[in-house]
């Protein structure tokens, strides 16, 4: 009997478990560990933060996809992985987990690049609890305005105009009228500002498409301060520098941090050869020093054949890595050998939503704008849900209440 320990129930970890359960009926026991008892759609966090989608609609219980005859789910925090002893230590369990194969899918954290005050004074958006905290904060500020009449309470600043920042701005635009109602003001008094260091936003898209996206966001009354590098965050104040100009600042009741993410810091803490929480993996998605450890999702850096920069971390590539990992583990359990072919990846496309009905992006070599882009975005999102949760979760989106 082989023991497979999967750490993390995000896109990568959970799909690996789902596939292993389908492919191996005997001779294997799987242990899945996650700090939460639910899986969440990380690609939809911005909607939970804005309040345009309830948290229950972007989560489902892990138990829904677990086959208890093969898999044991443990809700706990991973503390240490010891690759030499092949053990995993959890915070709440005395006993160590032992594995034949370990799959690390420990996900991402917010990257502050050491900018002073960012951790203390800006709100990150990397998990459901943080997204809900952003929503609660915005609503509290809108309520405050009724007594303070301080326009700063109505100012929402997004720090970092990358993919996440742009999608969040779109969702906030959708929610603007509801915020205005709470504050008792007209929607155009709710200010949404993106502060972005670069002048060429969204480098994953062609210049023309990125410009379309940026203009789309601006046309929705979102202020964009590009070429503006944030240097410090004070309580209620963002300090930034535009080129060689003197420092400027903007007061805001809500400051949200979306300047990028890194892999889980546990990777470095456990001695893996990681940079910003990511390990450059082998062709078989394993750790270069430990062939029995798979590193997938946001803690992995996968080099494309041209070998210049790793693929960007997305839900799509995390799911593709899970496909490969499950195949490879099955092959090793059955034949003792790795899959013959190394991991390869071809993106289906990348689409950014700007609210519920607007989007832009590229899919299968075509640039998409407007409705086709929005439809493609929903197809990609539903595919992710289908691939981890199956039809049950796809049809039942919205059943799981986080607080119970
Ligand atoms: P990102 O790194 O793509 O964007 C961060 C942005 O913040 C950049 O534009 C950067 O210039 C800016 N920035 C950094 N430091 C700054 C500073 N001090 N002042 C001002 N601006 C600053 O990060 P992200 O948007 O969180 O995305 C992370 C990853 O997830 C990316 O690979 C992205 O492609 C991916 N993603 C994909 C999807 C999707 O496919 N639907 C959605 C969201 C994120």
């Amino acid at each position: 009997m082989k023991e497979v320990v999967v750490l993390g129930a995000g896109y990568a970890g959970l799909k690996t478990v789902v596939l292993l359960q389908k492919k191996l009926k005997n001779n294997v026991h799987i242990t899945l560990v996650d700090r939460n008892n639910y899986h969440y759609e990380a690609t939809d966090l911005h909607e939970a933060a804005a309040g345009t989608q309830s948290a229950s609609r972007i989560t489902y219980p892990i138990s829904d996809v677990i086959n208890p005859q093969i898999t044991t789910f443990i809700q706990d925090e991973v503390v240490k992985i010891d690759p030499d002893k092949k053990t995993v230590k959890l915070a709440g369990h005395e006993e160590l987990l032992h594995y034949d194969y370990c799959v690390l899918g420990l996900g991402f954290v917010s990257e502050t690049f050491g900018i002073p005050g960012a951790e203390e004074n800006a709100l990150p958006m990397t998990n459901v609890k943080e997204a809900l905290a952003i929503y609660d904060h915005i609503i509290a500020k809108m309520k405050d305005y009724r007594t303070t009449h301080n326009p700063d309470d109505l100012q929402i600043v997004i720090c970092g105009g990358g993919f996440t920042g742009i999608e969040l701005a779109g969702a906030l635009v959708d929610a603007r009228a509801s915020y205005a109602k709470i504050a008792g003001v007209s929607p155009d008094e709710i200010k949404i500002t993106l502060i972005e260091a670069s002048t060429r936003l969204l480098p994953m898209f062609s210049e023309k498409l990125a410009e379309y996206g940026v203009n789309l966001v601006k046309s929705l009354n979102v202020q964009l301060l590009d070429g503006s590098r944030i240097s410090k965050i004070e309580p209620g104040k963002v300090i930034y520098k535009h080129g060689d100009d003197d420092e400027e600042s903007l007061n805001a009741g809500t400051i949200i941090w979306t300047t990028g993410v890194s892999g889980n810091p546990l990777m470095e803490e456990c001695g893996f050869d990681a940079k910003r929480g990511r390990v450059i993996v082998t062709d078989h998605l394993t750790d270069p020093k430990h062939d029995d450890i798979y590193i997938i999702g946001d803690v992995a850096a996968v080099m494309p054949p041209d070998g210049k920069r790793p693929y960007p971390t997305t839900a799509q590539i995390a799911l593709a890595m899970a496909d490969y990992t499950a195949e490879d583990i099955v092959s090793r359990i059955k034949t003792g050998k790795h899959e013959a072919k190394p991991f390869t990846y071809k993106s289906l496309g990348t689409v950014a939503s700007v609210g519920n009905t607007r989007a832009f992006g590229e899919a299968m070599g075509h640039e998409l704008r407007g409705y086709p882009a929005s439809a493609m975005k929903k197809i990609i999102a539903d595919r992710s849900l289908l691939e981890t949760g199956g039809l049950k979760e796809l049809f039942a989106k919205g059943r799981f209440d986080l607080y119970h």
Side-chain angles (χ1 to χ4, degrees):
M1 176 78 83
K2 294 287 184 194
E3 176 68 28
V4 182
V5 171
V6 179
L7 305 179
Y11 293 110
L14 197 56
K15 191 176 181 201
T16 304
V17 172
V18 168
L19 290 174
L20 286 176
Q21 288 180 161
K22 276 192 196 143
K23 290 169 196 276
L24 292 170
K25 300 279 177 227
N26 319 299
N27 303 330
V28 71
H29 176 261
I30 303 164
T31 304
L32 171 65
V33 181
D34 196 287
R35 60 163 74 96
N36 300 314
N37 61 353
Y38 57 87
H39 164 84
Y40 64 92
E41 299 290 303
T43 52
D44 294 345
L45 283 173
H46 57 283
E47 295 184 356
T52 53
Q53 178 115 259
S54 70
S56 61
R57 280 183 62 84
I58 68 163
T59 56
Y60 62 81
I62 290 169
S63 59
D64 270 11
V65 293
I66 292 302
N67 174 356
Q69 282 167 342
I70 303 176
T71 305
T72 306
F73 171 63
I74 302 176
Q75 185 180 357
D76 203 347
E77 188 82 31
V78 178
V79 177
K80 191 173 183 321
I81 302 132
D82 186 333
D84 298 324
K85 295 193 179 122
K86 298 176 69 140
T87 57
V88 176
K89 166 126 191 64
L90 305 179
H93 288 75
E94 280 285 302
E95 239 173 82
L96 299 173
L97 298 175
H98 292 262
Y99 61 81
D100 294 295
Y101 299 107
C102 185
V103 180
L104 301 183
L106 289 164
F108 63 100
V109 296
S110 177
E111 175 64 86
T112 58
F113 302 105
I115 292 173
E119 243 168 69
E120 301 82 356
N121 304 315
L123 300 163
M125 193 185 71
T126 61
N127 56 47
V128 181
K129 284 188 181 128
E130 288 176 355
L132 289 175
I134 291 173
Y135 178 68
D136 289 346
H137 185 98
I138 294 172
I139 298 305
K141 286 291 155 191
M142 297 302 139
K143 288 182 179 161
D144 283 353
Y145 180 80
R146 284 181 165 276
T147 44
T148 63
H149 296 290
N150 178 354
D152 294 352
D153 287 335
L154 306 180
Q155 171 76 66
I156 303 171
V157 172
I158 304 170
C159 302
F163 217 106
T164 308
I166 293 279
E167 290 202 315
L168 175 63
L172 292 171
V173 166
D174 279 0
R176 187 182 242 149
S178 67
Y179 302 158
K181 213 169 165 191
I182 296 167
V185 298
S186 74
D188 58 1
E189 287 177 80
I190 308 292
K191 303 287 181 215
I192 303 169
T193 304
L194 267 166
I195 305 187
E196 163 57 43
S198 167
T199 47
R200 164 70 167 96
L201 277 74
L202 305 170
M204 69 291 277
F205 295 135
S206 73
E207 212 158 307
K208 242 178 144 180
L209 187 62
E211 199 182 307
Y212 169 86
V214 168
N215 286 336
L216 175 61
V217 172
K218 285 206 248 178
S219 73
L220 298 167
N221 193 15
V222 172
Q223 185 190 20
L224 171 67
L225 302 176
D226 59 355
S228 302
R229 182 167 294 280
I230 296 161
S231 51
K232 194 175 177 188
I233 309 281
E234 288 176 1
K237 186 186 276 196
V238 182
I239 296 156
Y240 60 94
K241 215 167 163 353
H242 187 90
D244 292 331
D245 299 350
D246 289 342
E247 273 185 343
E248 292 177 53
S249 67
L250 182 62
N251 291 345
T254 304
I255 303 171
I256 309 171
W257 196 255
T258 59
T259 62
V261 295
S262 45
N264 195 315
L266 203 60
M267 300 305 289
E268 270 108 343
E269 286 162 32
C270 292
F272 290 98
D273 202 359
K275 240 194 215 152
R276 287 179 61 199
R278 287 194 187 113
V279 176
I280 298 178
V281 290
T282 67
D283 283 353
H284 296 293
L285 305 182
T286 52
D287 179 45
K289 292 191 188 131
H290 307 97
D291 195 37
D292 46 10
I293 298 183
Y294 292 83
I295 301 179
I296 60 176
D298 289 351
V299 285
V302 181
M303 284 297 178
D306 72 11
K308 283 191 198 129
R309 304 186 81 202
Y311 287 110
T313 53
T314 61
Q316 214 183 112
I317 196 169
L319 292 168
M321 285 192 236
D323 289 342
Y324 185 88
T325 300
E327 288 281 349
D328 201 46
I329 291 176
V330 170
S331 170
R332 290 172 85 178
I333 290 178
K334 286 188 176 162
T335 70
K337 289 190 192 138
H338 279 291
E339 272 284 297
K341 288 190 185 141
F343 174 76
T344 52
Y345 176 64
K346 182 134 185 40
S347 164
L348 272 183
T350 311
V351 182
S353 64
V354 183
N356 192 33
T357 54
R358 297 165 296 263
F360 62 96
E362 140 313 283
M364 290 168 279
H366 297 279
E367 293 196 342
L368 304 172
R369 297 170 171 84
Y371 178 75
S374 196
M376 180 53 87
K377 179 80 184 175
K378 290 190 172 100
I379 291 169
I380 294 174
D382 280 352
R383 185 164 171 253
S384 302
L385 187 62
L386 187 66
E387 288 186 21
T388 55
L391 278 176
K392 182 175 170 191
E393 301 306 336
L394 187 62
F395 292 134
K397 249 184 138 181
R399 272 184 319 102
F400 190 49
D401 188 341
L402 197 66
Y403 293 113
H404 294 110

